[in-house]
Amino acid sequence: MIRSIHGRTGFLRPTALALALGLSIGGVAHAQSNASGVVFGRTAADAGTVVHLQNKDTGFSRDITVDADGRYRASSLPVGRYDVSVMRNGTVVQTREDVAVQLGTGTDVSFVSEATGAQTLEGVQVTGNVLPAIDVSSVDSRTVLTSEQLQKLPIARDVTSAALLAPGAVGGDSRYGNVASFGGASAAENQYYVNGYAVTNALTGLGLTSLPYDAIDQQQIYTGGYGAEYGRSTGGVVNMITKRGGNTFKAGGQIVYTPTGLRDSPRDIYLVNGQLYQDRARNKSWNTEYSAYISGPLIKDKLFFYLTGDFIKQEGMTIGSTAASTHTDFSTKTSRYLAKVDWNITDSHLLELTGFSDKTTNTDQIYAYNYATGTRGAYRGSAYTKNYGTAGATPGGDVYIAKYTGYITDNLTINALYGRSTTEHVQTTNSVGGSCPLISGSFTVGGQAVFPPSCYLVGQLLAPGAKDKTHGWRLDAEYRIGDHDIRAGLDNQTLQSFAGNSYEGPESGRGNGGSYYWSYGNANKTGTIQGYPDVLFSPNQRYVQRVYYYAASNVETVQEAQFIEDHWQVTDRWLAYVGLRNEQFKNINGGGDVYVKQRHQLAPRLGVSWDVFGDSTLKIYGNAGRYHLAIPSNVAVRAASGSYYLRQFGSFDSIDPVTGAPIGFKPNGKEYPSNGHDGTNPDSRTIAAKGMGAYYQDEYILGFDKMFDNNWTVGAKGTYRKLKSSIDDFCDSRPFTNWGKRNSVDMSKAVVSGCYLFNPGKANTFQVNMDGKGTFRDVTLTKEDFTNNGIGFPELKRKYVALNLYAEHQFNQQWYGKVDYVWSHSYGNSEGMLKSDIGQRDPSVTQDWDAPELMVGSNGSLPNDRKHQLKAYGYYQYNPEWLFSANLTVASGRPVNCLGVAPGDPVKYGAAYFYCDGKVSPRGSRGRLPWTEQLNLGAEYRPAFADHKLAFNVDVFNVFTQQRKTSVIEVGENSAGAPVVTYLRPASYSAPRYFRFAVRYDL
């Protein structure tokens, strides 16, 4: 069976486990919900001792009886500020005020010293929050940003920009939109949560449904080591908790303005031969954002509300490249709002209801543009999109979440959550030329090249009715018994989408809709077209190819998981964490058939932590874990559902002078489906390898944190990640022929699908229709079967190693600062879900692994590799009126490839190989892009005459306006193997300097 081939026994080899445990024996990660925090500690174990916790804003309180050793623990606490008191026989004897409970974090509030032992407390003592900065109850790698920090730091007002403050996080390729890569993984391997519910892009995993920026109370970024509660991620986890109302009415609002006049011009783009490719000097925009909030009690101490809205408008212009000479005036409008109700039914039962919306529309008015005169030409039409954005990374939508927390006893806590979301996507065009098809190619007449005209605006459009829906629920229970905190839970989510694409243009007349696009050319000297045996033209005759592409269907992914974890307090200073997550993934295609079903995906997690001195000032920790990722839903739209990709050659009489469409089209030969895409739903048995293993990664982390002088914390952490199993598609029939020869089986009548999903670099078993009549047989292709002419698939390889050094100064009513340095290396032959080398937007079905020849030379530094990163950010409260802030990011550049044509173009993919100049051009061997350095500065003025409630802000981004190349075109040859002048053309630069102004007032 395939499961034995993929083997799960390689996880945590004895030597690795012994090393991890030997270096740091005792882990903690006290169990806590992904939407709450924990307070724990010790006090004198005198009779009648109770620890009382009270939220300073809502009045919610809990009383925890200490155990025989004086220990206590309050789990699943709503984040916020608490007073924590020791009560003896009903009398308060000591209090810690303003204890900050952070998201997913354990806060040690102890009333005794390990050095002096338990003390009997006499009298009432009240102290401020002078707690250690180190969370000795965690073994993961996380960054927690509070709303105060998000407001004060000079960063863009979006989730990704905040997440990029985390060590090891880098911006993804610009062709995927505003997304991040964590720990060397592709940008499609992250999970995003709001109040405990997953809001990741339901179709591709790229991006998230966002929320009003000021609604974020805390944002937590996990970059590794997270416990069994989390899954479906091999990159990072971004977890956000929203603000909530309290017993005090609050309201406020602000205006944020980014003017065009103070925005530097972006750099023009030139080809390597010095030719101007794109004039971008006028490609600027202005941006205005209005936001407001109101919160307070509906019933004091019981029922609270929080309402906020964020309304953004951006307008500007874009001059297209010389390859698409257009002038576009664009207008983008974003509306985000959130409403939250919190009900303290009793101090033992809490209910939270959250609803939020994220809607973005974009309207483009498109004109022709004359590069020779630098003037705008005739109006061509308009294009409209809703909830889409670059690569669909801003899906938008409406989200509703309900969460219940029950403190059944001091030792038993229950959390239950249900959520759902709906997103509609729209993309339409309105051309003055009428229905304009996509036109490509050219032909020669009398030695002169003829480029047919066109009036299309976009080219490829979303299918009408595109829509995503999700619904999911979580249930977990935590029980403390003796030295063990045991937590178990269920985590289910269903993702449903109607998605797809078609070409712009008039209706084709086919039943499914869509349109044709036209591609012009000339036949060769023989008049034949390779791969089309019944097509015959006169030598060098001009022709046109009619292409019909329509891929749209309802697809579904069901993700289920169960987890259990034990947090064992081995001694007062040593704790151990053992967790296990079991995941099941089921993918359903447009025909309603299950084409991939993966069960028993076991993900063990181990963690150890040592509170060296017992006072939370030095922690040594380590962890090891396995993390799985489901196949994204987008795979089923084309690869697993009935789609059309039909090509037909023909001659024509003339060309429409406006649309560029051929007049008098006469077919030459029949219509051919590409890779079998003729509109029929493929048999679910022929889509993927039988018993295909899941996508998963193993990770090991070892580190320490040390606190000095109650304000400074320093630390170091080493990380190692290895992708053990991937999922992609291969589109090569030769391995089946090789298998037939090896086993003396006649494959002449076998029906081999165009492409199959499989586990690259391993043996895979496929179900093959041996006679075209439904007689299926299991065919196990070994690595040798995948080998042709001495070229076979390599072993899958993606590894990430990193060393993180940091120093952090806690805010002491004057200043806060943090410095992170990360040395890392991400290398191998597969980026993972994406292929940033060419900006391919097909998660899990990239052109990598389509055939062995495409993987020759593929091993090297991967696209998300940034060997050096330095991040420094903080703020300084000069006096009650003035605050200054800064954010510096310095990073080395990404590696550069040269993709071209292998000798003979063995699999007919054109310039898609790691070859240039007829020789192997190994991945990353063409140098690196330049380092990027960006400094942002901010200042805030809160005048005393307004009681410091009125704030004036100015932020300057990229102070030195250093515009560096962040991505380039890495295809160095055309399909004929000749060099192309577009090689190394910049695809993106870092954004130029701009200013942002804001006025804010809080009642």
Side-chain angles (χ1 to χ4, degrees):
M1 295 293 290
I2 199 71
R3 294 189 184 280
S4 63
I5 292 172
H6 290 164
R8 298 292 188 260
T9 57
F11 174 69
L12 295 181
R13 292 186 178 91
T15 53
L17 178 59
L19 176 62
L21 293 179
L23 288 174
S24 31
I25 288 262
V28 279
H30 277 272
Q32 58 251 346
S33 164
N34 66 359
S36 61
V38 168
V39 171
F40 65 96
R42 292 190 65 200
T43 185
D46 297 336
T49 300
V50 172
V51 175
H52 177 77
L53 303 95
Q54 184 158 1
N55 188 292
K56 296 176 70 70
D57 297 310
T58 66
F60 161 75
S61 65
R62 286 193 68 188
D63 290 331
I64 306 295
T65 303
V66 301
D67 65 16
D69 295 322
R71 290 193 295 260
Y72 76 96
R73 183 169 175 277
S75 63
S76 296
L77 291 174
V79 298
R81 298 178 305 132
Y82 287 78
D83 289 342
V84 182
S85 303
V86 175
M87 301 179 66
R88 188 157 298 126
N89 298 319
T91 301
V92 175
V93 294
Q94 190 171 9
T95 296
R96 291 285 182 87
E97 293 185 339
D98 288 320
V99 173
V101 174
Q102 291 191 334
L103 177 58
T105 300
T107 302
D108 186 351
V109 184
S110 292
F111 296 87
V112 298
S113 167
E114 287 287 334
T116 60
Q119 307 173 43
T120 299
L121 302 176
E122 301 292 345
V124 178
Q125 303 176 54
V126 179
T127 60
N129 184 17
V130 291
L131 301 176
I134 295 176
D135 175 14
V136 295
S137 72
S138 67
V139 297
D140 50 60
S141 301
R142 76 176 77 145
T143 299
V144 178
L145 300 169
T146 65
S147 59
E148 181 182 41
Q149 291 171 315
L150 293 174
Q151 180 182 334
K152 292 179 177 179
L153 291 172
I155 58 175
R157 291 169 55 83
D158 61 74
V159 171
T160 297
S161 296
L164 288 175
L165 293 176
V170 301
D173 191 288
S174 62
R175 289 166 287 193
Y176 301 131
N178 183 26
V179 293
S181 163
F182 298 95
S186 75
E189 299 177 36
N190 308 319
Q191 276 292 308
Y192 300 87
Y193 294 87
V194 171
N195 287 348
Y197 186 69
V199 294
T200 313
N201 187 321
L203 184 65
T204 63
L206 273 170
L208 72 152
T209 299
S210 196
L211 71 169
Y213 187 75
D214 288 332
I216 302 173
D217 189 11
Q218 295 184 18
Q219 178 169 325
Q220 179 187 59
I221 306 103
Y222 282 107
T223 54
Y226 33 93
E229 175 184 13
Y230 290 103
R232 305 165 194 153
S233 167
T234 47
V237 171
V238 179
N239 189 20
M240 290 159 283
I241 293 298
T242 64
K243 294 176 181 176
R244 65 186 71 204
N247 280 325
T248 302
F249 279 102
K250 297 180 181 179
Q254 71 173 344
I255 300 174
V256 182
Y257 178 56
T258 303
T260 302
L262 293 177
R263 186 187 292 271
D264 281 13
S265 295
R267 290 181 61 178
D268 293 339
I269 296 177
Y270 290 86
L271 303 180
V272 291
N273 63 1
Q275 180 181 344
L276 177 66
Y277 178 78
Q278 185 177 12
D279 178 0
R280 303 200 305 159
R282 290 174 287 171
N283 290 3
K284 297 182 181 182
S285 65
W286 60 265
N287 190 89
T288 303
E289 180 176 352
Y290 302 91
S291 62
Y293 72 93
I294 184 171
S295 67
L298 295 172
I299 301 175
K300 187 177 180 180
D301 291 340
K302 285 291 184 181
L303 191 62
F304 313 92
F305 75 95
Y306 175 80
L307 300 173
T308 186
D310 204 351
F311 307 96
I312 308 167
K313 184 176 182 179
Q314 182 182 26
E315 291 187 353
M317 65 169 286
T318 301
I319 303 298
S321 71
T322 53
S325 302
T326 58
H327 171 119
T328 301
D329 293 329
F330 66 87
S331 176
T332 301
K333 297 179 181 179
T334 299
S335 298
R336 298 188 179 116
Y337 63 82
L338 179 142
K340 190 170 192 294
V341 175
D342 290 88
W343 183 15
N344 296 348
I345 305 171
T346 70
D347 283 340
S348 297
H349 302 279
L350 310 181
L351 181 64
E352 305 173 26
L353 301 175
T354 307
F356 65 95
S357 179
D358 177 17
K359 305 286 178 61
T360 298
T361 61
N362 185 84
T363 302
D364 293 335
Q365 303 294 335
I366 305 172
Y367 300 81
Y369 182 75
N370 189 319
Y371 258 89
T373 62
T375 58
R376 189 177 78 177
Y379 180 64
R380 296 183 58 175
S382 63
Y384 172 84
T385 60
K386 177 182 178 181
N387 296 338
Y388 187 59
T390 303
T394 52
D398 298 315
V399 182
Y400 303 94
I401 308 165
K403 181 176 182 289
Y404 163 79
T405 301
Y407 307 108
I408 309 305
T409 69
D410 284 354
N411 296 321
L412 177 62
T413 302
I414 293 176
N415 288 282
L417 178 145
Y418 175 79
R420 62 184 178 88
S421 70
T422 303
T423 304
E424 295 180 348
H425 309 285
V426 179
Q427 188 176 32
T428 59
T429 58
N430 183 14
S431 173
V432 296
S435 296
C436 297
L438 174 65
I439 303 295
S440 70
S442 64
F443 57 88
T444 59
V445 176
Q448 297 295 314
V450 177
F451 293 89
S454 67
C455 61
Y456 73 90
L457 301 175
V458 176
Q460 184 167 288
L461 300 174
L462 290 174
K467 187 176 184 178
D468 300 325
K469 295 191 298 183
T470 74
H471 63 270
W473 58 272
R474 297 174 58 93
L475 176 65
D476 63 72
E478 179 187 348
Y479 186 69
R480 183 174 185 182
I481 178 170
D483 294 328
H484 298 267
D485 293 308
I486 299 173
R487 186 160 174 245
L490 307 174
D491 175 12
N492 294 350
Q493 187 170 37
T494 299
L495 316 173
Q496 298 170 311
S497 296
F498 176 75
N501 299 95
S502 63
Y503 289 117
E504 181 182 353
E507 286 293 324
S508 63
R510 294 179 178 269
N512 281 337
S515 65
Y516 296 110
Y517 96 74
W518 304 89
S519 180
Y520 293 90
N522 290 92
N524 59 22
K525 295 179 181 179
T526 66
T528 60
I529 305 294
Q530 185 174 348
Y532 299 83
D534 62 342
V535 176
L536 181 63
F537 291 105
S538 300
N540 301 314
Q541 179 182 344
R542 69 179 189 177
Y543 67 76
V544 68
Q545 184 179 184
R546 184 179 71 177
V547 182
Y548 177 68
Y549 174 81
Y550 181 86
S553 59
N554 289 291
V555 296
E556 182 176 348
T557 301
V558 180
Q559 303 173 343
E560 300 175 331
Q562 308 80 41
F563 70 90
I564 186 169
E565 53 189 16
D566 180 15
H567 306 78
W568 175 28
Q569 188 161 0
V570 183
T571 70
D572 289 337
R573 302 186 185 185
W574 295 85
L575 295 100
Y577 167 80
V578 179
L580 180 66
R581 185 178 177 91
N582 181 27
E583 299 190 274
Q584 302 87 47
F585 305 133
K586 182 168 63 176
N587 292 73
I588 302 169
N589 67 4
D593 298 320
V594 176
Y595 66 94
V596 171
K597 189 174 185 179
Q598 297 165 324
R599 304 189 64 80
H600 309 304
Q601 308 301 316
L602 298 178
R605 315 275 171 88
L606 302 175
V608 292
S609 177
W610 178 25
D611 182 4
V612 178
F613 301 122
D615 59 0
S616 300
T617 60
L618 174 61
K619 177 181 75 171
I620 298 176
Y621 65 97
N623 63 65
R626 171 163 292 175
Y627 304 86
H628 290 91
L629 190 66
I631 302 174
S633 298
N634 73 285
V635 170
V637 174
R638 180 176 169 191
S641 301
S643 61
Y644 292 90
Y645 201 169
L646 308 175
R647 300 173 180 269
Q648 187 170 34
F649 287 85
S651 59
F652 58 95
D653 297 328
S654 60
I655 294 175
D656 187 292
V658 176
T659 68
I663 297 174
F665 174 74
K666 300 178 183 65
N668 189 328
K670 67 178 182 179
E671 194 171 49
Y672 283 82
S674 295
N675 286 332
H677 293 288
D678 60 0
T680 58
N681 276 308
D683 190 304
S684 59
R685 291 171 291 183
T686 67
I687 297 171
K690 184 178 181 181
M692 184 172 61
Y695 191 108
Y696 74 93
Q697 175 175 270
D698 287 347
E699 177 187 72
Y700 304 86
I701 295 176
L702 181 66
F704 77 90
D705 299 311
K706 178 71 175 76
M707 193 185 77
F708 297 96
D709 300 328
N710 291 327
N711 286 323
W712 280 101
T713 305
V714 300
K717 177 188 65 178
T719 301
Y720 174 74
R721 285 179 161 188
K722 182 178 181 181
L723 185 65
K724 300 295 291 291
S725 177
S726 179
I727 295 174
D728 213 304
D729 63 339
F730 85 98
C731 309
D732 188 357
S733 62
R734 295 173 297 175
F736 295 97
T737 302
N738 296 339
W739 178 88
K741 292 179 180 178
R742 180 168 59 85
N743 292 279
S744 300
V745 176
D746 181 12
M747 300 293 288
S748 62
K749 297 181 180 180
V751 179
V752 177
S753 297
C755 299
Y756 290 88
L757 293 171
F758 79 132
N759 294 128
K762 301 179 180 179
N764 287 256
T765 297
F766 302 89
Q767 298 179 84
V768 178
N769 185 344
M770 299 299 293
D771 55 7
K773 299 179 181 179
T775 303
F776 281 85
R777 174 174 177 173
D778 285 356
V779 173
T780 299
L781 301 181
T782 64
K783 292 189 65 176
E784 289 71 25
D785 292 323
F786 283 107
T787 300
N788 295 280
N789 301 318
I791 300 175
F793 279 130
E795 296 281 350
L796 170 71
K797 184 179 181 182
R798 187 183 82 186
K799 296 181 180 181
Y800 174 80
V801 292
L803 175 64
N804 173 211
L805 307 174
Y806 83 93
E808 183 175 22
H809 183 276
Q810 297 298 317
F811 186 61
N812 59 353
Q813 306 306 313
Q814 187 172 30
W815 71 283
Y816 167 83
K818 186 173 183 180
V819 178
D820 271 297
Y821 169 76
V822 176
W823 176 91
S824 65
H825 188 31
S826 177
Y827 59 100
N829 53 31
S830 177
E831 181 185 355
M833 286 281 180
L834 299 174
K835 184 172 176 62
S836 296
D837 310 319
I838 58 173
Q840 188 172 1
R841 302 175 182 180
D842 301 309
S844 211
V845 284
T846 70
Q847 73 179 29
D848 287 344
W849 305 102
D850 281 7
E853 289 85 348
L854 296 172
M855 297 302 292
V856 174
S858 61
N859 186 50
S861 296
L862 293 168
N864 296 308
D865 182 47
R866 308 287 188 276
K867 287 194 174 180
H868 303 279
Q869 295 177 62
L870 176 68
K871 299 178 181 181
Y873 55 90
Y875 44 86
Y876 174 61
Q877 190 75 55
Y878 177 70
N879 58 35
E881 294 187 330
W882 286 98
L883 179 138
F884 302 97
S885 58
N887 177 27
L888 172 68
T889 302
V890 179
S892 56
R894 67 184 272 183
V896 178
N897 303 313
C898 185
L899 301 176
V901 180
D905 192 2
V907 294
K908 308 307 175 188
Y909 267 50
Y913 307 82
F914 285 94
Y915 274 84
C916 272
D917 305 318
K919 299 178 293 184
V920 175
S921 179
R923 177 186 291 279
S925 62
R926 296 302 177 104
R928 287 184 175 263
L929 296 183
W931 285 60
T932 58
E933 304 95 17
Q934 180 162 325
L935 173 65
N936 305 336
L937 297 177
E940 179 182 80
Y941 173 58
R942 289 183 175 268
F945 67 78
D947 198 22
H948 307 301
K949 295 180 179 180
L950 176 65
F952 299 92
N953 293 81
V954 58
D955 297 300
V956 187
F957 293 83
N958 195 358
V959 172
F960 300 107
T961 197
Q962 294 184 328
Q963 300 182 57
R964 303 290 171 79
K965 288 181 286 188
T966 55
S967 64
V968 297
I969 300 301
E970 299 185 62
V971 177
E973 299 178 344
N974 61 21
S975 295
V980 292
V981 296
T982 53
Y983 178 53
L984 298 181
R985 171 181 66 78
S988 61
Y989 283 101
S990 48
R993 178 175 53 218
Y994 67 94
F995 286 72
R996 183 180 70 189
F997 301 91
V999 179
R1000 180 184 183 96
Y1001 188 77
D1002 298 282
L1003 295 178

